[in-house]
């Protein structure tokens, strides 16, 4: 008796694709549809209703994997997603991946064994593991595959806005503190910042952070970035990293914004409580969280959803670290 795995094998597609076709809950190209239906007919496959209903009776729990819960942006995001999920009768199973693909893979197994109804994965560090999953998935920022919806801020545009603001505030000797290259979002911010600088004919320097924020950064000797004291404008890839840079600069008796202007990215709550308060680029996390839950619940409830990138507009939030 053929099963979904067998049909996927014969059609040369993933189990998730066959499942999407059978359950009609996501994009499958016409060509692949035809291929799958042909194999189904040839093999006389009848989807196992019992298995399907057991699957549908998955718990009313959504797995939320975030990379770094000590980053205020992700704890804000988790709170918002939890709220919207609760409003729809779902609860959240929160996992912290630390941008570590092994941890992420383990959590995928755990979430599956808990029969979660869907998974939200922020900044995924693995791709293949999702192909064989028979669970609705929404990705935040890092793309997983062409069949999985990605939601993000327009990070490229955010990078451009950051440059234009520093430039119009008089900075001409500018540094970009880049995020790790495994983060699609920070790569796009860098590209936007770089392209906007190029348009003015100004060259910028870069310094790359290897990880997202970790508390130990505050204690570490940041001698590598000693040079940052020579710049008059710095765009840091996110607010929490900007707070580390600000601490370094003020400890080294630099006046912000007189000697050096700084702009972050996120508009997480930390940007308001820092002294001076941080100019930053807003990621509309409320709308993003709401959209993620809306899309995921549609997928869970087998409603048609367009599989594409859902992109949100960034916005400059001017505070005290720029003139
Ligand atoms: O992945 C990016 C980098 O850090 C994410 O949006 C964040 O800005 C959150 O702080």
């Amino acid at each position: 008796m053929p099963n979904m795995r067998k049909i996927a094998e014969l059609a040369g597609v993933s189990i998730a694709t066959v499942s999407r076709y059978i359950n009609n809950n996501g994009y499958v190209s016409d060509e692949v549809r035809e291929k799958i239906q042909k194999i189904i007919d040839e093999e006389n496959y009848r989807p196992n209703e019992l298995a399907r209903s057991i699957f549908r009776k998955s718990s009313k729990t959504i797995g939320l994997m975030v990379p770094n819960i000590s980053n205020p942006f992700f704890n804000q995001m988790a709170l918002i997603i939890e709220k919207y999920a609760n409003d729809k009768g779902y609860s959240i199973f929160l996992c912290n991946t630390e941008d570590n693909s092994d941890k992420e893979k383990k959590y995928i197994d755990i979430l599956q064994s808990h029969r979660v109804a869907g998974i939200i994965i922020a900044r995924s560090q693995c791709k293949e593991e999702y192909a064989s999953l028979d669970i609705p998935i929404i990705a935040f920022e890092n793309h997983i595959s062409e069949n999985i919806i990605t939601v993000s801020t327009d990070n490229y545009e955010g990078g451009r806005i950051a440059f234009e603001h520093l430039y119009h505030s008089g900075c001409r000797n500018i540094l970009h503190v880049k995020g790790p290259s495994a983060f699609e979002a920070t790569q796009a911010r860098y590209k936007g910042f770089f392209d906007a600088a190029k348009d003015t004919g100004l060259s910028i320097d870069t310094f790359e952070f290897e990880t997202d924020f970790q508390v130990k950064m505050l204690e570490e000797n940041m001698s590598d970035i000693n040079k940052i004291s020579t710049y008059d404008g710095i765009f840091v890839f996110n607010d929490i990293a900007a707070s580390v840079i600000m601490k370094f600069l003020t400890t080294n008796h630099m006046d912000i914004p007189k000697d050096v202007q700084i702009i972050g990215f996120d508009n997480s709550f930390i940007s308001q409580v820092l002294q001076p308060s941080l100019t930053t680029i807003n990621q509309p996390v409320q709308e993003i969280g709401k959209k993620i839950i809306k899309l995921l619940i549609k997928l869970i409830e087998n409603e048609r959803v367009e599989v594409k990138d859902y992109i949100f507009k960034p916005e400059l939030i001017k505070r005290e670290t720029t003139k």
Side-chain angles (χ1 to χ4, degrees):
M1 180 68 173
N3 57 17
M4 221 191 261
R5 184 178 301 280
K6 181 84 184 153
I7 300 297
E9 249 172 53
L10 293 172
V13 297
S14 68
I15 301 177
T17 309
V18 176
S19 157
R20 268 197 308 281
Y21 172 66
I22 291 171
N23 293 308
N24 198 19
N25 67 348
Y27 176 75
V28 181
S29 71
D30 290 346
E31 192 194 334
V32 172
R33 281 173 183 277
E34 258 176 49
K35 218 193 289 178
I36 297 173
Q37 190 54 54
K38 189 163 168 277
I39 304 287
I40 287 179
D41 295 342
E42 281 169 12
E43 296 293 313
N44 199 18
Y45 170 64
R46 294 285 161 270
N48 180 343
E49 265 312 316
L50 180 65
R52 284 175 64 185
S53 65
I54 288 172
F55 178 70
R56 277 198 219 105
K57 281 210 194 78
S58 51
S59 62
K60 282 275 238 179
T61 304
I62 289 170
L64 170 61
M65 289 195 266
V66 295
N68 184 352
I69 203 67
S70 64
N71 176 335
F73 175 80
F74 287 113
N75 54 52
Q76 257 171 291
M77 176 178 243
L79 277 168
I80 289 162
I81 286 182
E82 181 187 47
K83 180 195 172 299
Y84 287 119
N86 289 170
D87 288 351
K88 300 278 179 196
Y90 287 82
S91 49
I92 292 293
F93 185 139
L94 181 64
C95 314
N96 190 42
T97 66
E98 294 179 80
D99 290 305
N100 175 320
S101 58
D102 290 337
K103 245 185 128 180
E104 185 175 334
K105 285 176 201 162
K106 273 192 199 133
Y107 271 131
I108 294 173
D109 287 346
I110 294 172
L111 292 175
Q112 257 184 308
S113 63
H114 279 77
R115 291 190 172 281
V116 292
I119 294 180
I120 299 163
I121 168 67
R123 212 163 69 193
S124 172
Q125 298 300 321
C126 46
K127 292 183 194 285
E128 302 79 48
E129 282 64 27
Y130 293 92
S132 56
L133 282 195
D134 218 348
I135 302 176
I137 298 162
I138 303 285
F140 174 67
E141 292 185 342
N142 280 14
H143 288 79
I144 295 177
S145 79
E146 58 178 14
N147 301 319
I148 293 178
I149 288 172
T150 309
V151 178
S152 72
T153 301
D154 187 341
N155 290 292
Y156 177 85
E157 183 57 23
R160 289 198 73 99
I161 297 173
F163 177 82
E164 278 150 21
H165 180 60
L166 285 181
Y167 191 80
H168 289 125
S169 307
C171 303
R172 293 295 179 270
N173 186 15
I174 299 179
L175 174 73
H176 174 39
V177 177
K178 266 177 86 176
S181 48
F183 301 179
E184 279 183 36
T186 61
Q187 286 301 103
R189 287 170 203 172
Y190 161 64
K191 180 107 187 24
F193 194 74
F194 181 86
D195 286 354
K198 212 161 127 203
D199 290 350
T200 65
L202 202 73
S203 65
I204 52 157
D205 286 350
T206 54
F207 171 85
E208 185 166 325
F209 259 35
E210 279 159 19
T211 61
D212 200 351
F213 175 76
Q214 282 152 19
V215 177
K216 68 174 191 290
M217 284 174 177
L218 293 172
E219 289 117 43
E220 273 170 3
N221 174 1
M222 309 239 299
S223 55
D224 279 7
I225 56 168
N226 247 325
K227 217 179 134 231
I228 66 172
S229 323
T230 63
Y231 294 93
D232 63 6
I234 304 179
F235 167 42
V236 190
F237 71 95
N238 69 12
D239 288 351
I240 188 78
S243 75
V244 176
I245 302 286
M246 280 174 68
K247 172 149 197 249
F248 175 81
L249 290 168
T250 46
T251 312
N252 285 281
H253 313 293
M254 302 275 293
D255 185 303
I256 306 169
K258 206 159 131 269
D259 302 329
V260 55
Q261 303 188 54
I262 302 212
I263 180 163
F265 204 106
D266 289 342
N267 194 27
S268 53
F269 66 80
I270 192 175
S271 56
Q272 295 173 52
V273 296
L274 281 166
Q275 183 56 35
S277 61
L278 179 65
T279 295
T280 187
I281 305 293
N282 182 54
Q283 298 211 57
V285 68
Q286 276 287 349
E287 287 128 74
I288 289 175
K290 192 172 181 183
K291 186 66 161 189
I292 288 176
I293 285 297
K294 198 168 169 197
L295 289 168
L296 186 64
I297 287 179
K298 277 191 171 177
L299 289 179
I300 292 171
E301 293 175 355
N302 288 331
E303 280 180 49
R304 260 201 185 282
V305 174
E306 192 182 351
V307 180
K308 58 168 198 167
D309 284 1
Y310 290 79
I311 297 179
F312 287 80
K313 217 168 153 305
E315 188 194 348
L316 174 73
I317 307 293
K318 162 89 182 71
R319 293 204 182 89
E320 293 165 347
T321 54
T322 55
K323 291 180 194 159

